[in-house]
Structure formats: structure tokens, C-alpha cells
Amino acid sequence: RRMRKDVRILLVGEPKVGKTSLIMSLVSEEFPKVVPYRAEEITIPADVTPEKVPTHIVDYSGTLRPFRLGLKCIELFRCHVLLNKMLCMWFRVPLILVGNKSDLVEHSSMETILPIMNRYSEIETCVECSAKNLKNISELFYYAQKAVLHPTGPLYCPERRD
Ligand code: GTP
Ligand code: MG
């Protein structure tokens, strides 16, 4: 297998799901009360990552915000999403399905998550987390790193570890 010199993790998702908060919680180890629309790109040095590979974390969706303002830009946004889906399929970019804000729900969302996982083979792992109480935050970024470095690994759901 080709040796990786670094890993790039992109956070994509619907507005307000907590992408920026997840990054800020990882970096500062506490829940940020106020977040910008988009976090600056950060690079985690190799020696503090479990797999010893420099890891870039990009708050991806925020980059599209300027395009959302105009009418024409909505079409641009749609094209962008479609293009990204195609790129993911061609290059088999591994996906981690993230259920943030687990602090707000009492029950597990696994029943919702599992059918989605079964439908998209490029989803390597799913994880429930909370930027607010820091549940599974470092784990989430570790799974993403692992999914890139060991993409054929077995499916692993932290909730079903037993
Ligand atoms: P956009 O960049 O606008 O698409 O949003 P985003 O996905 O980056 O979400 P953001 O981090 O701005 O968070 C949106 C709101 O959700 C904020 O009010 C956060 O405080 C809140 N939030 C984020 N994560 C959590 C969480 O784990 N639990 C709870 N209860 N609230 C959260
Ligand atoms: Mg954001």
C-alpha cells in the first residue's frame, strides 16, 4: 500500500450540525460558547496523533457560505455537492458518519444510523459524539485518520464494541 505522508479530514454536513464546534472542542478541549462560521484549517503534528501522521482538519462546508448568498450561487452550491459526491465515489474517499449533539438525545441513534451505513459502502465507521460534553471527540478524529490509513478495515461501531 502507498505510504501516506499526511491525512486530510474534511467536515461536511448540513448547516448548524456542529462542524465548527467539533473542531474547536478538539483543539481547546472545551465546548466553545461562540464559534465562527468556519474554523481555520489546523494541522495536528505527527507526534501527537495515534498513527503518527500529520493530520489536517478542514471545516469544509463553511467555505461555501459566500456562495449561498445569491440566487445563482445556490446552483453553484448544488454543483459543488454533486461534484464532491462523484469525487468520493471515484477515489473512494472513506467517510465517517457522525452523529453530534448526543447530549440532547436520551436514546442511541444507532437505529437511524445503521440503515444509512448499509446503503453506502464508503462509510467506514459511525460515531455518536457531543462537542458539548466532549464525548468521543478525539475518538472521532482518530477514526477518520484510521479510515484513511487503513481503509479496508472492518466496520467498527463504538456503540457496539461488546
Ligand atoms: P454552519 O457552519 O453554520 O454550517 O454550522 P456548524 O455545523 O459549523 O455548527 P456550529 O459549530 O456553528 O454549531 C451550531 C450550533 O450548535 C451552536 O449553537 C453550537 O453551540 C451548537 N452545538 C454544537 N455542537 C453541539 C453539541 O454537541 N451539543 C449541543 N447541545 N449543541 C451543540
Ligand atoms: Mg461552521
Side-chain angles (χ1 to χ4, degrees):
R1 186 183 300 147
R2 190 161 67 93
M3 287 290 283
R4 284 264 172 191
K5 70 177 196 322
D6 55 8
V7 169
R8 180 171 281 268
I9 299 171
L10 309 179
L11 283 93
V12 290
E14 296 290 311
K16 302 297 169 203
V17 292
K19 302 173 295 291
T20 307
S21 301
L22 285 170
I23 297 175
M24 310 278 275
S25 286
L26 175 80
V27 174
S28 60
E29 291 179 338
E30 61 181 6
F31 182 57
K33 291 203 174 61
V34 183
V35 288
Y37 286 134
R38 185 180 172 224
E40 292 291 321
E41 178 171 335
I42 59 161
T43 299
I44 304 177
D47 53 321
V48 294
T49 69
E51 300 273 345
K52 306 288 178 235
V53 177
T55 300
H56 312 282
I57 299 177
V58 183
D59 195 354
Y60 192 60
S61 311
T63 58
L64 292 167
R65 190 167 297 273
F67 294 122
R68 286 186 199 162
L69 297 173
L71 187 63
K72 247 189 143 176
C73 299
I74 291 174
E75 283 138 33
L76 241 172
F77 174 68
R78 283 197 178 143
C79 289
H80 194 93
V81 169
L82 187 68
L83 183 67
N84 272 297
K85 275 190 186 152
M86 284 159 67
L87 286 174
C88 283
M89 271 157 41
W90 281 327
F91 295 105
R92 286 204 58 86
V93 174
L95 301 180
I96 307 283
L97 187 60
V98 179
N100 187 34
K101 307 195 187 185
S102 67
D103 58 287
L104 296 179
V105 290
E106 269 164 40
H107 55 278
S108 164
S109 47
M110 278 297 144
E111 269 176 34
T112 320
I113 286 171
L114 286 174
I116 304 174
M117 288 202 58
N118 292 336
R119 222 168 79 207
Y120 300 98
S121 63
E122 57 271 57
I123 300 179
E124 294 263 338
T125 300
C126 56
V127 55
E128 282 181 315
C129 65
S130 167
K132 188 165 188 176
N133 60 24
L134 304 182
K135 182 190 163 195
N136 278 341
I137 301 301
S138 51
E139 286 84 348
L140 152 68
F141 289 96
Y142 175 46
Y143 299 153
Q145 197 186 40
K146 247 175 71 168
V148 175
L149 297 171
H150 312 290
T152 51
L155 291 180
Y156 173 76
C157 285
E159 301 299 322
R160 303 217 153 177
R161 201 161 3 200
D162 52 335

